[in-house]
Amino acid sequence: MNNTKLIPYLTFEDTREALKYYQDVFGVTDVTRVSPTEKQAEAMSLNEDVNLADLTLKASFKVLGQEINCADSFMGKPVISTLISLMLQVDLHDSDAADNLEALYKRVVESEEVKVIVTYEKKSSGNKYGQIVDKYGITWIFNAIK
């Protein structure tokens, strides 16, 4: 039995701001956030005058039930990369899952806080597919397959 999981882990300059964005735009749930302790800040050689409550050591949220972890970048400003894509894939035969995926796509597009790369619609294969890029440069792929 394989107990391995692959969980996306994103890094932000300001995770508190990113969590608010994902709550507002994506409607994410189960949001958690932990600031570093003084001991952890010292171990990371953070400036003594930094407000630890503003920093995020670790955080997580769920989108359509899928967990994503994140934290502040303590090694300098994170670099935006088009190499990062997150795919949300559902079976078209599961009407609830397909409806939830489509509703999420509509929600994020209607927010006008994302850039649509590929409109979510039925393709010649019979699958539904679309792509957006969020304000952090992360590509989200919406994929409903037969």
Side-chain angles (χ1 to χ4, degrees), residues 2-3 10 18 24 38-39 45 52 59 61-62 66 72 78-79 97 100 116 122 125 128 136-138:
N2 186 347
N3 290 322
L10 306 175
D24 293 346
E38 287 184 23
K39 186 175 181 178
S45 301
L52 296 180
F61 59 87
K62 288 186 178 179
Q66 301 303 304
D72 284 347
V79 177
N100 290 339
V116 176
K122 192 173 185 177
S125 64
K128 290 182 88 174
Y136 295 100
I138 298 167

Side-chain angles (χ1 to χ4, degrees), residues 35-46 52 57:
S35 295
T37 64
E38 287 184 23
K39 186 175 181 178
Q40 290 167 325
E42 186 179 321
M44 291 186 289
S45 301
L46 299 178
L52 296 180
L57 182 64

Side-chain angles (χ1 to χ4, degrees), residues 62-121:
K62 288 186 178 179
V63 59
L64 295 183
Q66 301 303 304
E67 183 179 350
I68 297 176
N69 287 306
C70 54
D72 284 347
S73 172
F74 291 99
M75 303 300 288
K77 187 172 181 167
V79 177
I80 293 176
S81 170
T82 58
L83 298 175
I84 304 298
S85 297
L86 301 175
M87 181 185 292
L88 294 167
Q89 182 170 291
V90 300
D91 185 333
L92 272 171
H93 297 103
D94 181 340
S95 60
D96 288 341
D99 290 347
N100 290 339
L101 184 66
E102 187 160 351
L104 177 61
Y105 175 83
K106 286 179 181 177
R107 176 189 176 119
V108 299
V109 170
E110 288 172 2
S111 75
E112 298 184 1
E113 294 285 333
V114 300
K115 179 180 179 182
V116 176
I117 304 301
V118 177
T119 303
Y120 184 73
E121 59 190 8

